[in-house]
Every structure is written in structure tokens, then in C-alpha cells.
Amino acid sequence: MADTSVSLAGVTFKNPVITASGTFASGREYAELTDLSRLGGITTKGVSMEPWPGNPPPRVAETYGGTLNSVGLQNPGVERFLAEDAPFLRGCGARVIVNICGHTVDEYAAVAEALADSGADMLELNISCPNVKRGGIAFGTDPERVREVTEAVRKKARQPLIVKLSPNVTDITEIARAAEDGGADALSLINTLLGMKIDIRRRRPVLANAVGGLSGPAIMPVAVRMVWAVAKAARVPVVGMGGIMTARDAIEFIMAGAAAIAVGTATFRDPNAAVSIAEGIERFMDENGINSLSEIRGIV
Amino acid sequence: MKRYFDGIVHRNKRIAPGVFDMTVAGEAVAARPGQFAMLYPGGDSRLLPRPISFCGADEKNGLYRFVYQAAGGGTTLLAALEPGRTIRALAPLGNGFPETRPGERAAIIGGGLGVPPLLWLTRSRAASGAEVSVFLGFRSDPILLREFAETGAGVSVSTDDGSMGFHGNAADMFENFADEPAFDTVYACGPKPLLARAAGIAEKIRAACYVSVEERMACGVGACYCCAVETRGETKYRKCCADGPVFDAKELVWGAGAVG
Ligand SMILES: Cc1cc2nc3c(=O)[nH]c(=O)nc-3n(C[C@H](O)[C@H](O)[C@H](O)COP(=O)(O)OP(=O)(O)OC[C@H]3O[C@@H](n4cnc5c(N)ncnc54)[C@H](O)[C@@H]3O)c2cc1C
Ligand SMILES: Cc1cc2nc3c(=O)[nH]c(=O)nc-3n(C[C@H](O)[C@H](O)[C@H](O)COP(=O)(O)O)c2cc1C
């Protein structure tokens, strides 16, 4: 039997499949539809210091092989996360990664500090969400700011820190290096690609926010290319995501250099997608005589 | 308990121009009026499931009925499914209409494709002894009228073009009826302007009002925060799929986020 376990910055996952932030809440909504304990990890929705209201609806549009969203990081804030979600996550049987967001460097750092005793195994710093006008994008596109926010959060975080990169940049490896310089213990990518859809009957954008983040299989080749480039350039492990629908998709990311992978939009089509992908990876390993994913990681 | 399953299409029949009446045999799950299912059109180009309300259910036998319009690409694919084909579904979802109170005098107001879920509501209210008056508005082709009449409820019909019944929409028709406070509760489903009118009339006659609202959704289970509905509460946006689709009309902010 193949050993599907992987290690990220000293944290061991029983398999490389993690749910992507914002697509799985804190897992509770899916607990009756899929076996959470068979996931490698769960990444929570973005958590901020204060409650964030999010963007006006419509917040989602379907595109060919993808979805556009402009949720705007709606969340009830870290206090309620700690009271309502953290206890559930501690008993879910999978590793827990808490995704954090903020409008300022201080806010990001404060959330990390508040999560010290949350039971989270890792933190993921969302410097890349394209939805919030004042946050996200400004940090994720400027190497200097990426280093600064990573450093500030690294100082306060008790857990290993993943920095999640935005694909909406000219050279993602430059941003990856800035995150490493700031002390990132791992990198994850890609967040959604900025996109837009127009309702030609109404002659206006489908999303109330006009633009949103594109996810799903439509973005996968872009994501594979970026993971491949970053994995080659970075010293720390990489979590790959963007359009993964099947185990074969996941294997592409691993061959491109990902230590682990995350599944997001696929869950909207099949609540059991992440668990099926974990099973499929194990089957692929058995069929191909692979004992450990390190045999194929970054082989391309 | 929510279930994700492959159902079998038992029947999928056109009952009006562009409107289909589908029965799906699937897993036996407890469901109630006002709840909905996510139906998956399939294929890799359309990833998102389509929310469709239950028009009825025979839960013991795992039979679920949906009446839906072939409105766009996804529902047109659903309309093309022949009996015997499989259809993937996630159900039951959402809160559904609240329980009835003994002796309730209920007004049920529906417009267009908001009418189908009200058939099940009308049946269950009528069966539990409530006094039910139904006001249904259509553009021009009414649907499900005979079944509404068979529930024993009083049924009034309107059409936008005046080809049948009252000339106007269901809210106009209801307003003519509702000048005296003859109802304890108003239930409404249909286009947002109709819901807003129904809520306004309910307030005037001091009746409680519950409306079933539509918003664009992705996950259907409350995980992704896509289907935001603006409310007056402390949390500005609540989830159509998990906190709704039925809301107490007093909680809602009208005018934002209509889909159509
Ligand atoms: C809780 C709920 C219950 C519903 N019940 C019924 C019903 O019983 N009968 C019926 O005919 N229709 C119902 N609708 C509307 C139905 O979901 C849409 O007509 C359908 O999703 C359109 O899909 P499409 O692929 O044909 O259209 P497209 O325009 O191709 O769809 C593109 C995307 O937009 C979404 N979308 C488009 N229109 C709507 C809409 N009005 N509401 C929500 N999402 C939309 C689709 O789901 C899809 O994700 C309901 C909607 C909701 C939210
Ligand atoms: C509805 C939705 C909400 C998301 N919310 C967040 C979020 O809160 N924080 C974050 O870092 N990424 C968020 N993402 C991005 C995903 O985690 C992921 O990076 C992206 O969707 C690509 O993966 P996928 O194609 O498998 O979905 C969100 C994506 C979607 C579709």
C-alpha cells in the first residue's frame, strides 16, 4: 500500500488533499455529506479581526468551465470563529489551516495572534484575494508589502505560516521570494484570477461588484504553470490549487512540484470531490508502483 | 439529512411553453414545503447545480417533483432528460416554510415560476385544517390550476395579458381582496417586486409574511457565502440557501440583489 502522507513545514498530513479556503466554510456544512476525517486538511474561510459584511449580490456567475465569485470575504470575525468553528475543527479528524485576511498589516498580525490557542495546525495568509478593494490585492502585488506583511504575521503566529499568492501579478516567482524573505514556511497558489462576465440582455456585469475571481477547471493550466515556476524558485514547500477536479489533475500539480494540493470549486459540483480525489491519488500510486509522493514530486 | 445522490427521471413533461414537470426517484429523505434541491445539469462546462424548489414529494417512496422553466442553458439540459435517465441531486436544502398554527387563515400568493412550490404548501396547509386562499399570477399561461383547486383552497387567478381571470399581477389581485384583515399569514413566492408588494400588503393588514427568495448560488449548503440576501439584522447578508430561501419579510431589505 502506498504511503499518501505528506509533510508541510513539519506538519504531517495523512494525504495531500486539503480543501481550499472559502469553498468549504469550516467543514461543518459538509460533515453530513462527506467524511471529513478522510481529508488531509481543511482550510477555513478567510477570518478577519472584525466581522466583514461582504459584497452585494449577485456574488457568483457561472462561466465556461469555471465560476466567478465576488463574495468579498464575508465572515463574522475571529472572536466568533474561535467560539463557533474552532471547537468543531479540533475534532474533525483532519489537519486544520486557518486562512486569515486583513485590511492592514496590524490587522493581519492581530488575527494571527488571536489564533494562537485555536487548535489550528497552520495559518494561511491571504494576501491575494482580489475581492476586497482596500485589502488583498494591494499586498499581494507588491513584493515589498508582501515581505512586510509576512514578517509581521510570522512574528505573531504560533503555527507554521503559509503565504497564499495571487496569480494577478507579472512575475509570481518574485512575489514568492518576497514571502520567503518575510519568513513564510510554505506557499500556496493560486488564488482566483480576476475576471468579468457581462449580461448582454441587461447590458451590465452579472456580478454586482462588476469583477470577481475566476476559479475552476478553466484556470488549471495557468495554475500548473505557476506552481511549476514557484516550486522551482522556492526553498519552502508549495500547496498547489486551481481547478483541480480529479486525482489526475492533482497528480499534475504534484509532478509540477506541489507538496500538497487543494480542492475548491470541484466541491460545488460534488460535495465528496476532495475525498474522491484523495482516494484516486492512492489508487494512482498503487497502479503505478509509487510508494511515496516524493518519487514524483517536481519530476517535471 | 441532506443527501447527494443519482436519481432516476420518472417523468419530465412539458406542461406549458418552456415549462416542465419532472418527477425524480431518489433516496428517501424527509423534506418539507419551501425546501429545494440542487440539480446538476452535468458536463464540465457547467459546474454549478441549479436550485429548484420541491413542487411536491412522496418522501416514503423517494419521489420528488419539480416544475421548472427552461430558462437558460442548465435548465434546458434538464428539460431534455428522458424518463429513465439519471440526474444528480443534492437535497433537501434550505429551511422551508414555517409550521402552521391551528386555525390559521393563510393567503398564498405566487407569481410565474414561484407558483410550483406553493402547491405543496397549499396542500399541506389545507390538509392541516387551515383556511387557505390562493392568489396565482401568470404572464399568460397558467399552470397547475386543477391541482390547486383539488386541495380545497379558494383559488384566484390573474394574467398579465388578461387572457384569464383578473387582469394584472397576483399582488394587485390580492390587494383587492385584502382590504379587511382576513388573514393571519401571507406566504409568497415569485419575482422580487411581487414579494415586496405582498410584504407591504401583509403589513397593512397586520398579517405575518413569509417569502421565498431567489439568489444565485454555488454550494447550496451554506459553505460558500455566494447567495447573499440583504437583511436588516446584525449580519447584513444572510445566506439564501441555508438561512432561507424562506425569510420573514420583516427581516428583508427590498430593492437590492434581484435576479431575473
Ligand atoms: C431557492 C430557489 C428555488 C427555485 N425554484 C425554482 C422552481 O421551482 N422552478 C423554476 O423554474 N425555477 C426555480 N428557481 C430558479 C432557477 O434556479 C433558475 O431558473 C435556474 O438556476 C436557471 O439556470 P439556467 O442554467 O437555466 O440559466 P443560466 O442563466 O444559464 O444560469 C447561469 C447561472 O445563474 C444561475 N441563475 C440564473 N437564474 C437564476 C435564478 N432566477 N435564481 C437563482 N439562480 C439563477 C444558475 O443557477 C446558474 O448558476 C429557483 C431558484 C432558487 C434560488
Ligand atoms: C466562493 C469562493 C470563495 C473563496 N474565498 C476565499 C477566501 O476566503 N480566502 C482565500 O484565500 N481564497 C478564497 N478562494 C479561493 C480558493 O481558495 C482557491 O484559491 C481558488 O478558488 C482556486 O481553486 P479552485 O479552482 O479549486 O476553486 C475562494 C474561492 C471561491 C470559489
Side-chain angles (χ1 to χ4, degrees):
Chain A
M1 271 265 281
D3 174 13
T4 56
S5 70
V6 297
S7 161
L8 274 186
V11 180
T12 306
F13 291 69
K14 62 171 141 338
N15 66 55
V17 181
I18 302 168
T19 62
S21 178
T23 61
F24 210 70
S26 287
R28 199 185 296 121
E29 287 78 2
Y30 280 109
E32 59 180 326
L33 292 162
T34 194
D35 184 352
L36 302 181
S37 72
R38 288 160 76 186
L39 294 166
I42 291 175
T43 310
T44 68
K45 188 167 176 50
V47 178
S48 55
M49 208 50 209
E50 303 295 329
W52 284 5
N55 288 325
R59 291 179 175 181
V60 65
E62 193 178 54
T63 62
Y64 197 92
T67 74
L68 279 170
N69 88 82
S70 58
V71 171
L73 297 173
Q74 177 174 349
N75 83 93
V78 70
E79 208 170 293
R80 276 187 54 196
F81 172 81
L82 289 169
E84 293 164 19
D85 291 344
F88 173 83
L89 283 163
R90 284 195 286 270
C92 75
R95 289 292 186 191
V96 176
I97 301 170
V98 179
N99 182 283
I100 64 180
C101 49
H103 289 132
T104 64
V105 171
D106 291 347
E107 244 178 83
Y108 274 113
V111 182
E113 194 168 20
L115 290 167
D117 301 313
S118 60
D121 296 296
M122 301 183 88
L123 302 185
E124 182 179 60
L125 181 58
N126 177 14
I127 55 166
S128 45
C129 186
N131 289 332
V132 176
K133 292 186 191 80
R134 291 193 295 156
I137 198 73
F139 291 97
T141 54
D142 176 349
E144 188 41 41
R145 311 233 63 202
V146 171
R147 198 190 50 75
E148 184 192 349
V149 69
T150 307
E151 218 168 65
V153 172
R154 182 55 283 166
K155 273 202 201 102
K156 299 287 183 188
R158 188 172 295 174
Q159 300 88 343
L161 179 65
I162 305 171
V163 176
K164 182 167 179 181
L165 308 181
S166 166
N168 304 307
V169 296
T170 312
D171 179 2
I172 198 164
T173 59
E174 187 190 6
I175 306 288
R177 270 191 299 272
E180 274 192 322
D181 290 347
D185 302 293
L187 302 170
S188 62
L189 63 152
I190 60 175
N191 209 316
T192 53
L193 282 158
L194 271 178
M196 186 168 181
K197 183 176 172 74
I198 291 168
D199 180 337
I200 59 169
R201 192 172 53 85
R202 298 170 158 216
R203 302 181 177 190
R204 62 180 199 219
V206 174
L207 298 176
N209 191 53
V211 301
L214 184 63
S215 64
I219 71 170
M220 194 178 114
V222 178
V224 171
R225 192 271 289 176
M226 288 185 166
V227 165
W228 177 74
V230 168
K232 290 231 180 304
R235 298 177 299 272
V236 298
V238 170
V239 181
M241 72 190 90
I244 297 175
M245 302 297 284
T246 65
R248 307 189 83 79
D249 295 343
I251 299 289
E252 278 197 45
F253 277 87
I254 292 165
M255 289 186 173
I261 59 97
V263 175
T265 301
T267 299
F268 301 155
R269 194 170 68 166
D270 175 358
N272 206 38
V275 167
S276 300
I277 289 167
E279 290 167 356
I281 291 172
E282 185 168 0
R283 222 175 306 122
F284 178 88
M285 292 172 74
D286 287 338
E287 284 164 13
N288 291 277
I290 299 163
N291 296 311
S292 159
L293 288 171
S294 60
E295 294 168 30
I296 55 166
R297 177 172 312 121
I299 203 161
V300 173
Chain B
M1 187 88 179
K2 298 180 185 72
R3 287 274 178 255
Y4 176 70
F5 58 87
D6 276 333
I8 306 284
V9 176
H10 263 203
R11 145 196 155 105
N12 194 12
K13 217 179 113 216
R14 183 180 166 280
I15 57 168
V19 181
F20 295 79
D21 184 346
M22 176 163 73
T23 304
V24 174
E27 286 189 28
V29 286
R32 52 189 293 173
Q35 287 190 305
F36 66 99
M38 279 295 211
L39 302 178
Y40 296 73
D44 276 341
S45 65
R46 288 187 183 82
L47 302 171
L48 298 178
R50 273 42 180 175
I52 306 287
S53 296
F54 295 118
C55 174
D58 169 1
E59 300 143 82
K60 274 199 293 296
N61 294 307
L63 293 175
Y64 305 94
R65 181 180 180 196
F66 306 97
V67 170
Y68 61 97
Q69 183 176 27
T75 48
T76 298
L77 283 175
L78 298 181
L81 289 172
E82 305 274 350
R85 294 287 298 276
T86 61
I87 177 165
R88 191 149 287 187
L90 177 61
L93 304 174
N95 56 357
F97 289 102
E99 297 294 343
T100 187
R101 281 168 291 154
E104 181 184 14
R105 295 168 305 168
I108 295 182
I109 304 170
L113 271 298
V115 166
L118 298 176
L119 177 59
W120 196 14
L121 178 71
T122 302
R123 272 212 181 102
S124 77
R125 284 295 186 273
S128 62
E131 199 182 291
V132 188
S133 305
V134 183
F135 304 88
L136 306 176
F138 302 92
R139 201 164 293 154
S140 68
D141 295 294
I143 52 171
L144 307 173
L145 288 189
R146 195 172 47 79
E147 288 180 88
F148 270 98
E150 284 166 5
T151 64
V155 182
S156 312
V157 178
S158 74
T159 48
D160 292 349
D161 62 7
S163 60
M164 182 178 174
F166 182 89
H167 190 170
N169 70 31
D172 300 332
M173 176 170 58
F174 174 56
E175 195 157 36
N176 281 1
F177 258 79
D179 45 5
E180 49 187 291
F183 301 105
D184 307 307
T185 322
V186 172
Y187 302 95
C189 185
K192 204 154 191 172
L194 175 70
L195 303 185
R197 288 274 316 276
I201 299 166
E203 199 180 322
K204 240 183 353 212
I205 62 171
R206 282 193 282 284
C209 182
Y210 297 94
V211 296
S212 179
V213 305
E214 285 185 6
E215 192 44 70
R216 283 168 195 265
M217 296 181 175
C219 74
V221 298
C224 72
Y225 285 77
C226 283
C227 57
V229 174
E230 189 173 351
T231 67
R232 300 176 193 284
E234 175 199 350
T235 305
K236 182 171 180 186
Y237 293 113
R238 301 186 65 201
K239 305 167 195 168
C240 183
C241 70
D243 301 322
V246 179
F247 290 89
D248 184 330
K250 285 199 294 287
E251 292 174 30
L252 298 181
V253 177
W254 300 103
V259 267

